[in-house]
């Protein structure tokens, strides 16, 4: 493709353009023969200043060679044009990103015969947005430390490096002692401030070569390359002393916290993978907690911690057994229309059936499921049961179901493909199936969450953002996620009627106003009494959830979730909130 341009078309073009005389300079372009006004504006130079300047002088030195192979193919006639991205150095010192397209061309009078026509599209905004998404994919939104996903990747890389170069190192896993009491006593804002202060302390007391990560909640990890086990233990004790010195303000007083730490080492020939190393550090941390907290314990193969490994493996086997042989029980917790007392939809939760009929809550086994890569299996199990319930439901009185999904289901396309397969051939209204993501999971996996949102929109399902407002930057993420429901973080709802009431009230009112503008439903969690219920209604919150409004019950005990035409024991239908259930259709 040869571009033929008149002088006026070239000069008046809105896109930065230049005729460049080819040369053997690095980068394969050459000297600028002439440039239009748009190119002058893009680079911060006048057309006269650009004339005779090497094109490479406009480009960041690390990007000069980008595109050499494509330009060589263009020069030999193998292609008609080529494109590549480069960073440009603006005359005022800032950098911009440009998509450079190069083709053979000349002007209408032939005076620029043999020159290259270079066009530059400004892609700085797109690059900035992509960079933000990449940042959020790797970083914890509260502390800006690397998150668990990135930490696991870097541990695996370090293990591979150690195998190649004959080096070792260690991983520290730290957990704050009694952190839940801080949240319960002082609120989540104080808890967040403490987490941030601890993160800063860990970073400030680590070497430049160390990697500090927040794995989630109050759990941190540190990767120590090239560290002997004794050195790692000493460093862990130093970090615990630094954490003990942290003080943050809460409710007018200073809040302090202690931590426990587990240490696990690796060598170049021990054959460990990242999961092995993290499990070992986690077991050492468990031993530190059992030893009275506030201390460091080191994993040794002969320390007896293998019994704990066996216990964890037994848990993983129990989870796998439940997945393979229907060993889970599904419970449902109602979300109530605060005005009519009708059930708007049910949020599903899984329980593990233990010998003797004991039902084990998910908090006990989900951690192990995540550690052993079975969280997505559990998500698929719950999703499959939800689809079955919805398909068999009386469609004259449909009721929506909410399914909580983990960060594991956002990775790759396995869950999306599973969902499409499961929904194929079903006839129930797809908007009855709601998928709930916690805000923290969505923030840590923003691009993946956006992809899931697009899949759900395509399939007609809904997306709910749980614990909304619990972390910084909450409103930013609504711009990038197709959310249908917002579940306000329970701390704001519980705060109504307390000394924090004005702030909590303002936040709830802001969420309601935002949701109304976006056409999004709002659900208040942890509604604990009638006064709170009335306050929420007065602020425009229509839907609520909490033990006061209705307990979680086995789905087999809920009449509206039974197959169409199924007989139900009237003694099992005890909740008055089921009367006049309306669902969330339309």
């Amino acid at each position: 493709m040869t571009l033929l341009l008149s002088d006026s078309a070239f000069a008046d073009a809105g896109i930065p353009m230049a005729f460049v005389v080819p040369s053997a300079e690095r980068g394969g372009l050459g000297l600028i023969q002439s440039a239009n006004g748009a190119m002058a504006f893009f680079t911060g130079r006048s057309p006269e200043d650009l004339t005779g300047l090497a094109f490479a002088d406009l480009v960041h030195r690390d990007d000069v060679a980008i595109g050499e192979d494509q330009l060589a193919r263009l020069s030999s006639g193998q292609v008609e044009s080529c494109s590549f991205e480069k960073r440009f150095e603006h005359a005022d010192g800032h950098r911009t990103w440009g998509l450079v397209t190069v083709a053979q061309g000349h002007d209408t009078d032939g005076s620029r015969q043999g020159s290259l026509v270079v066009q530059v599209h400004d892609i700085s905004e797109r690059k900035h947005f992509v960079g933000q998404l990449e940042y959020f994919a790797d970083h914890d939104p509260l502390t800006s430390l690397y998150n668990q996903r990135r930490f696991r990747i870097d541990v695996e890389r370090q293990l591979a490096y150690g195998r190649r170069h004959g080096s070792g190192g260690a991983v520290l896993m730290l957990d704050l002692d009694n952190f839940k009491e801080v949240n319960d006593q002082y609120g989540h804002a104080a808890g967040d401030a403490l987490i941030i202060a601890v993160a800063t302390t860990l970073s400030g007391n680590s070497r430049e070569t160390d990697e500090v990560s927040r794995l989630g909640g109050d759990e941190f990890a540190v990767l120590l390359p090239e560290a002997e086990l004794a050195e790692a233990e000493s460093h862990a004790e130093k970090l615990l002393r630094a954490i003990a010195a942290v003080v943050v303000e809460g409710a007018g007083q200073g809040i302090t916290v202690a931590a426990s730490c587990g240490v696990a080492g690796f060598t170049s020939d021990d054959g460990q993978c990242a999961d092995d190393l993290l499990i070992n550090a986690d077991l050492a941390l468990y031993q530190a907690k059992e030893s009275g907290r506030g201390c460091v314990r080191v994993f040794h193969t002969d320390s007896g911690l293998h019994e704990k490994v066996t216990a964890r493996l037994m848990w993983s086997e129990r989870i796998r057994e439940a997945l393979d042989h229907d060993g889970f029980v599904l419970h449902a917790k109602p979300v109530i229309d605060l005005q009519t007392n009708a059930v708007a939809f049910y949020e599903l939760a899984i329980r593990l059936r233990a010998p003797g009929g004991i039902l084990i809550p998910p908090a006990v086994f989900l951690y192990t499921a995540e550690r052993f890569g079975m969280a997505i299996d559990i998500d698929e199990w719950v999703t499959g049961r939800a689809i079955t319930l919805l398909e068999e439901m009386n469609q004259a009185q449909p009721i929506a179901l909410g399914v909580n999904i983990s960060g594991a289901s956002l990775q790759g396309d396995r869950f999306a493909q599973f969902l499409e397969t499961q929904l194929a051939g079903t006839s129930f209204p797809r908007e009855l199936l709601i998928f709930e993501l916690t805000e923290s999971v969505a923030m840590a996996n923003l691009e993946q969450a956006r992809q899931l949102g697009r899949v759900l929109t395509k399939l007609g399902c809904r997306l709910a953002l749980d614990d909304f407002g619990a972390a910084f930057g909450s409103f930013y993420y609504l711009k990038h996620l197709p959310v249908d429901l917002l579940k306000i973080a329970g701390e704001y709802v519980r705060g109504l009627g307390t000394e924090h009431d004005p702030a909590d009230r303002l936040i709830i009112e802001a969420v309601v106003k935002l949701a109304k503008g976006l056409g999004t439903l709002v659900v208040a969690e942890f509604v604990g009494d009638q006064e709170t219920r009335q306050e929420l209604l007065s602020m425009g919150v229509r839907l609520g959830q909490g033990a006061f409004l209705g307990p979680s019950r086995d789905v087999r005990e809920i009449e509206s979730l039974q197959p169409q035409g199924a007989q139900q024991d009237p003694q099992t239908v005890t909740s008055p909130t089921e009367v006049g259930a309306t669902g969330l259709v339309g």
Side-chain angles (χ1 to χ4, degrees):
M1 178 179 65
T2 299
L3 293 181
L4 184 65
L5 295 171
S6 67
D7 286 340
S8 60
F10 172 76
D12 298 337
I15 182 174
M17 297 180 67
F19 280 101
V20 176
V21 179
S23 73
E25 67 158 315
R26 187 174 180 229
L29 280 170
L31 300 179
I32 297 174
Q33 189 176 16
S34 60
N36 66 358
M39 178 66 84
F41 180 79
F42 177 72
T43 61
R45 298 166 175 82
S46 69
E48 293 75 22
D49 290 339
L50 289 172
T51 301
L53 190 68
F55 192 86
D57 291 343
L58 303 176
V59 177
H60 186 281
R61 63 178 182 274
D62 293 340
D63 292 357
V64 168
I66 292 176
E68 284 184 335
D69 293 343
Q70 295 99 308
L71 288 168
R73 296 178 66 201
L74 174 67
S75 177
S76 64
Q78 297 179 56
V79 295
E80 295 182 339
S81 65
C82 60
S83 297
F84 36 83
E85 297 176 357
K86 290 178 182 279
R87 286 170 293 176
F88 285 78
E89 300 281 7
H90 195 275
D92 65 9
H94 80 272
R95 289 170 184 164
T96 54
W97 274 97
L99 173 62
V100 181
T101 301
V102 185
Q104 299 285 353
H106 58 82
D107 53 4
T108 52
D109 64 9
S111 63
R112 299 186 181 96
Q113 187 70 34
S115 298
L116 299 173
V117 176
V118 180
Q119 301 177 347
V120 183
H121 291 264
D122 189 344
I123 57 172
S124 302
E125 185 175 349
R126 175 171 68 82
K127 279 290 187 178
H128 175 70
F129 180 63
V130 170
Q132 284 185 315
L133 294 180
E134 291 174 347
Y135 179 87
F136 288 125
D138 284 339
H139 290 77
D140 170 58
L142 180 62
T143 64
S144 296
L145 297 176
Y146 280 140
N147 57 23
Q148 183 181 85
R149 186 194 75 87
R150 175 59 182 266
F151 186 75
R152 188 182 298 272
I153 290 172
D154 288 346
V155 168
E156 200 67 73
R157 286 174 179 167
Q158 187 61 41
L159 290 170
Y161 177 87
R163 287 190 290 269
R164 286 196 306 271
H165 299 282
S167 61
V171 163
L172 315 183
M173 193 167 290
L174 304 98
D175 186 90
L176 303 186
D177 298 333
N178 303 312
F179 180 72
K180 184 177 183 298
E181 295 178 7
V182 175
N183 277 333
D184 292 344
Q185 184 173 353
Y186 301 102
H188 285 276
D192 284 352
L194 190 58
I195 290 292
I196 293 170
V198 169
T200 302
T201 298
L202 290 174
S203 298
N205 286 274
S206 296
R207 305 171 303 181
E208 289 186 8
T209 54
D210 299 341
E211 181 174 317
V212 182
S213 169
R214 184 189 180 203
L215 301 184
D218 61 329
E219 190 174 30
F220 297 85
V222 184
L223 173 61
L224 305 175
E226 309 287 346
E228 298 292 337
L229 202 54
E231 180 186 359
E233 182 178 7
S234 176
H235 185 65
E237 291 170 347
K238 171 189 171 184
L239 292 180
L240 292 196
R241 289 193 297 270
I243 291 172
V246 170
V247 181
V248 299
E249 291 296 319
Q253 57 185 295
I255 305 171
T256 60
V257 69
S260 302
C261 181
V263 181
F266 60 91
T267 61
S268 60
D269 58 356
D270 60 16
Q272 292 189 84
C273 66
D275 283 341
D276 296 331
L277 187 59
L278 293 175
I279 288 172
N280 290 345
D282 190 34
L283 289 168
L285 172 61
Y286 182 82
Q287 187 184 48
K289 292 285 189 182
E290 286 194 329
S291 299
R293 303 175 184 268
C295 61
V296 177
R297 289 293 181 268
V298 179
F299 179 87
H300 297 287
T301 55
D302 57 353
S303 64
L305 285 179
H306 281 295
E307 296 177 5
K308 301 294 191 304
V309 175
T310 302
R312 283 284 175 88
L313 290 173
M314 288 178 61
W315 268 109
S316 70
E317 290 170 1
R318 182 179 293 183
I319 294 169
R320 175 52 58 193
E321 179 76 12
L323 286 166
D324 293 341
H325 298 94
D326 204 26
F328 287 115
V329 174
L330 204 57
H331 278 214
K333 188 174 185 178
V335 173
I336 303 300
D337 186 317
L338 298 177
Q339 200 165 51
T340 67
N341 214 39
V343 175
F345 67 95
Y346 285 99
E347 178 185 351
L348 299 179
I350 196 171
R351 304 286 188 270
L352 178 61
R353 188 188 297 113
I358 299 174
L359 295 181
I360 301 173
V364 175
F365 60 83
L366 282 184
Y367 179 81
T368 300
E370 290 174 354
R371 279 286 196 260
F372 285 88
M374 290 184 285
I376 188 170
D377 298 306
I378 291 176
D379 291 348
E380 290 177 352
W381 187 91
V382 177
T383 299
R385 295 304 187 277
I387 290 173
T388 299
L389 287 170
L390 290 169
E391 185 66 6
E392 295 177 349
M393 189 182 298
N394 183 353
Q395 295 306 315
Q397 294 180 311
I399 188 78
L401 299 178
V403 175
N404 292 282
I405 57 175
S406 66
S409 291
L410 300 181
Q411 310 306 319
D413 55 5
R414 170 180 158 178
F415 184 78
Q417 291 177 353
F418 168 84
L419 182 59
E420 291 183 14
T421 300
Q422 291 291 306
L423 288 174
T426 59
S427 58
F428 66 88
R430 300 289 175 77
E431 63 266 27
L432 293 176
L433 184 55
I434 305 167
F435 289 94
E436 297 189 18
L437 276 177
T438 63
E439 183 182 66
S440 59
V441 168
M443 290 167 71
N445 304 273
L446 183 57
E447 179 55 32
Q448 294 90 336
R450 292 178 72 231
Q451 178 60 32
L452 176 67
R454 289 191 286 266
V455 170
L456 297 182
T457 299
K458 174 186 173 183
L459 295 174
C461 303
R462 300 192 185 190
L463 176 63
L465 198 58
D466 198 3
D467 287 336
F468 182 75
F472 300 142
S474 298
F475 294 98
Y476 169 81
Y477 300 96
L478 291 184
K479 180 179 178 180
H480 305 294
L481 290 173
V483 176
D484 300 292
L485 292 92
L486 289 178
K487 300 184 78 173
I488 302 173
E491 68 167 292
Y492 302 118
V493 178
R494 286 195 299 259
L496 294 177
T498 70
E499 60 180 298
H500 303 297
D501 179 273
D504 294 323
R505 187 179 299 273
L506 285 171
I507 291 171
I508 293 173
E509 289 174 344
V511 173
V512 171
K513 183 176 181 180
L514 177 66
K516 184 177 180 181
L518 295 173
T520 302
L521 295 171
V522 174
V523 179
E525 299 183 280
F526 296 99
V527 180
D529 52 46
Q530 184 63 24
E531 290 74 20
T532 301
R533 176 179 185 157
Q534 291 304 126
E535 287 291 330
L536 290 167
L537 276 171
S538 70
M539 287 185 280
V541 179
R542 183 69 183 270
L543 303 178
Q545 189 176 31
F548 169 74
L549 299 174
S552 174
R553 293 191 293 148
D554 192 315
V555 294
R556 294 169 298 184
E557 300 176 1
I558 302 174
E559 183 178 19
S560 58
L561 299 184
Q562 300 311 302
Q564 185 173 356
Q567 295 297 315
Q568 180 73 14
D569 183 350
Q571 292 183 347
T572 65
V573 183
T574 58
S575 172
T577 60
E578 290 176 40
V579 179
T582 59
L584 278 180
V585 181

